[in-house]
């Protein structure tokens, strides 16, 4: 890294949440960085990342694109900045980019691609993000792990603290509270604060000057840990994407050029993590006038041939295009 960044005591780290949909599941591009001394790959996955060099990089985004290509051999398309994390203290995930004692300001980006292309880069893989946030998938109903594992652990942590109990109830839909699919980051940060995210103990040890090994998952219900603050950045990406599909047509950045309405619905369900009402979803698509029928059928659906559609991308330059609301399937 360059001298100015290191001498100031602050290093800017850039990380990319690169998302695709494969076989009806949302997947994210992960890497396993190598130790600079031993050249051994990390036991934990992370996101493509690297430090920003103010002397060598003209912009944050150009630096990020270079990191992703270098580490994964994958060319980014759609990209937007997510959030900047600069927290200092023991209550928030700690960013690490090999900067030693320097304080790291972590900037996350969201990238979307219509195809999870195999990169052939070493120690790089597409991973379903349900591995990291298993409680976020409600497509088959309320996950049993919420009531069997997460709720009891949060209640033990909260004790008689009314504020903690209220936050756990609202975040994880306990005691009849409604589920809000957009609160992904809030849920992860609550688990971190409660010490239920294994990254929390690692970061506390590092804050005390120790050099702990990377943690292992405390249980399958709590998801797999990641390096640095990458699970926090990934949670931020999922929160942003789940919110944005409702007011901008970003879901079409994750679909092929030609698709059936069933494929589109499965894509949106995979992002939102909730089941949708088929007929009402199609009414939403028709009302927003975002797609156009191609007059051809997809014979590879495995059942009755379905009509193929395309996203009317030309409307983006003509008007403010909306997103797709989520008509939930009520049991």
């Amino acid at each position: 890294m360059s001298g100015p960044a290191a001498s100031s005591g602050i290093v800017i780290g850039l990380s990319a949440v690169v998302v695709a949909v494969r076989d009806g599941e949302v997947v994210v591009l992960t890497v396993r960085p190598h130790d600079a001394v031993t050249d051994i790959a990390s036991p934990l996955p992370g996101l493509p990342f690297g430090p920003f060099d103010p002397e060598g990089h003209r912009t944050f985004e150009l630096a990020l694109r270079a990191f992703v290509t270098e580490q994964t051999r994958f060319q980014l398309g759609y990209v937007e900045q997510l959030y900047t994390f600069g927290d200092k203290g023991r209550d928030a995930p700690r960013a690490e980019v090999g900067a030693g004692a320097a304080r790291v300001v972590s900037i996350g980006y969201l990238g979307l691609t219509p195809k999870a292309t195999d990169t052939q880069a070493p120690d790089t893989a597409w991973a379903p993000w349900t591995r990291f946030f298993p409680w976020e998938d409600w497509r088959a109903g309320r996950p049993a792990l919420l009531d069997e594992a997460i709720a009891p652990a949060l209640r033990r942590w909260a004790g008689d603290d009314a504020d903690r109990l209220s936050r756990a109830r609202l975040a994880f839909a306990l005691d009849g509270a409604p589920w809000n699919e957009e609160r992904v980051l809030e849920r992860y940060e609550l688990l971190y604060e409660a010490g239920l995210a294994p990254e929390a103990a690692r970061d506390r040890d590092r804050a005390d000057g120790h050099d702990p090994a990377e943690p292992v998952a405390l249980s399958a219900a709590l998801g797999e840990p990641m390096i640095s603050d990458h699970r926090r950045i990934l949670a931020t990406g999922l929160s942003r994407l789940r919110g944005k599909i409702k007011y901008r047509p970003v879901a079409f950045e994750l679909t092929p050029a030609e698709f059936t309405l069933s494929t589109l619905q499965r894509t949106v369900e995979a992002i939102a993590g909730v089941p949708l009402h088929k007929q009402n979803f199609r009414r939403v698509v028709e009302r927003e006038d975002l797609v156009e029928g191609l007059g051809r059928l997809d014979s590879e659906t495995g059942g009755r041939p379905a009509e193929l559609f395309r996203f009317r991308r030309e409307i983006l330059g003509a008007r403010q295009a909306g997103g797709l609301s989520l008509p939930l399937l009520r049991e």
Side-chain angles (χ1 to χ4, degrees), residues 231-309:
R231 202 152 57 128
R232 184 191 201 188
I233 296 173
L234 182 55
T236 307
L238 180 52
S239 291
R240 170 71 64 83
L241 188 53
R242 284 182 168 182
K244 198 162 187 175
I245 58 173
K246 300 172 186 176
Y247 63 89
R248 294 292 291 162
V250 293
F252 297 99
E253 303 295 340
L254 296 167
T255 59
E258 298 180 0
F259 52 86
T260 66
L261 293 184
S262 292
T263 296
L264 177 60
Q265 179 174 337
R266 287 194 298 270
T267 296
V268 175
E269 289 175 330
I271 296 168
V274 293
L276 302 179
H277 190 284
K278 180 178 179 178
Q279 286 75 26
N280 289 345
F281 177 77
R282 296 192 176 199
R283 291 190 186 100
V284 168
V285 173
E286 181 180 352
R287 182 180 69 237
E288 296 297 335
D289 198 25
L290 296 173
V291 302
E292 177 183 45
L294 297 177
R296 292 185 281 110
L297 300 180
D298 181 6
S299 59
E300 299 180 1
T301 57
R304 181 179 177 183
E307 184 177 5
L308 286 166
F309 291 79

Side-chain angles (χ1 to χ4, degrees), residues 46-96:
L47 305 171
F49 75 103
F52 175 73
D53 180 356
E55 299 297 328
H57 297 140
R58 186 161 60 88
T59 68
F60 290 157
E61 184 175 321
L62 288 176
L64 180 89
R65 289 179 181 275
F67 285 138
V68 172
T69 301
E70 178 185 355
Q71 294 174 18
T72 70
R73 302 176 189 168
F74 184 84
Q75 297 286 339
L76 283 176
Y78 175 98
V79 171
E80 66 173 80
Q81 189 174 128
L82 277 174
Y83 199 78
T84 299
F85 296 104
D87 311 39
K88 184 178 182 180
R90 301 166 65 93
D91 297 329
R94 180 175 176 176
E96 296 282 351

Side-chain angles (χ1 to χ4, degrees), residues 4-313:
S7 62
S8 68
I10 296 178
V11 171
I12 297 174
L14 307 175
S15 302
V17 178
V18 184
V19 176
V21 175
R22 173 184 280 176
D23 299 327
E25 298 295 333
V26 171
V27 291
V28 60
L29 191 58
T30 65
V31 299
R32 292 183 183 267
H34 285 233
D35 184 273
V37 176
T38 66
D39 197 35
I40 297 175
S42 167
L44 295 184
L47 305 171
F49 75 103
F52 175 73
D53 180 356
E55 299 297 328
H57 297 140
R58 186 161 60 88
T59 68
F60 290 157
E61 184 175 321
L62 288 176
L64 180 89
R65 289 179 181 275
F67 285 138
V68 172
T69 301
E70 178 185 355
Q71 294 174 18
T72 70
R73 302 176 189 168
F74 184 84
Q75 297 286 339
L76 283 176
Y78 175 98
V79 171
E80 66 173 80
Q81 189 174 128
L82 277 174
Y83 199 78
T84 299
F85 296 104
D87 311 39
K88 184 178 182 180
R90 301 166 65 93
D91 297 329
R94 180 175 176 176
E96 296 282 351
V97 292
R103 181 177 175 185
V104 176
V105 175
S106 186
I107 303 177
Y109 281 79
L110 174 66
L112 306 178
T113 178
K115 187 176 182 181
T117 304
D118 290 329
T119 67
Q120 304 301 318
D123 301 307
T124 302
W126 292 95
W129 58 13
T130 50
R131 278 176 43 185
F132 309 108
F133 309 111
W135 58 86
E136 293 292 339
D137 188 0
W138 287 57
R139 286 174 294 174
R142 182 183 179 89
L145 57 84
L146 270 179
D147 300 311
E148 293 172 356
I150 293 178
L154 286 173
R155 293 187 196 281
R156 287 192 295 271
W157 165 72
D160 296 327
D161 189 313
D163 178 65
R164 287 183 172 183
L165 285 169
S166 176
R167 289 162 57 206
R169 174 181 173 272
L170 293 176
F172 284 93
L174 307 181
D175 302 326
W179 175 254
N180 184 332
E181 71 280 351
E182 294 182 36
R183 288 182 164 177
V184 189
L185 177 60
E186 180 182 338
R187 284 186 280 273
Y188 172 69
E189 291 187 326
L190 188 63
L191 293 177
Y192 184 97
E193 181 184 346
L196 298 174
E199 296 97 327
R202 175 199 65 192
D203 293 351
R204 285 195 296 269
D205 284 347
R206 286 180 179 172
D208 289 336
H210 305 301
D211 186 24
E214 290 288 10
V216 296
L218 298 178
S219 80
L222 296 171
E224 293 186 21
M226 300 182 81
I227 63 170
S228 187
D229 61 340
H230 289 193
R231 202 152 57 128
R232 184 191 201 188
I233 296 173
L234 182 55
T236 307
L238 180 52
S239 291
R240 170 71 64 83
L241 188 53
R242 284 182 168 182
K244 198 162 187 175
I245 58 173
K246 300 172 186 176
Y247 63 89
R248 294 292 291 162
V250 293
F252 297 99
E253 303 295 340
L254 296 167
T255 59
E258 298 180 0
F259 52 86
T260 66
L261 293 184
S262 292
T263 296
L264 177 60
Q265 179 174 337
R266 287 194 298 270
T267 296
V268 175
E269 289 175 330
I271 296 168
V274 293
L276 302 179
H277 190 284
K278 180 178 179 178
Q279 286 75 26
N280 289 345
F281 177 77
R282 296 192 176 199
R283 291 190 186 100
V284 168
V285 173
E286 181 180 352
R287 182 180 69 237
E288 296 297 335
D289 198 25
L290 296 173
V291 302
E292 177 183 45
L294 297 177
R296 292 185 281 110
L297 300 180
D298 181 6
S299 59
E300 299 180 1
T301 57
R304 181 179 177 183
E307 184 177 5
L308 286 166
F309 291 79
R310 72 171 186 93
F311 171 48
R312 299 178 60 231
R313 192 169 293 275

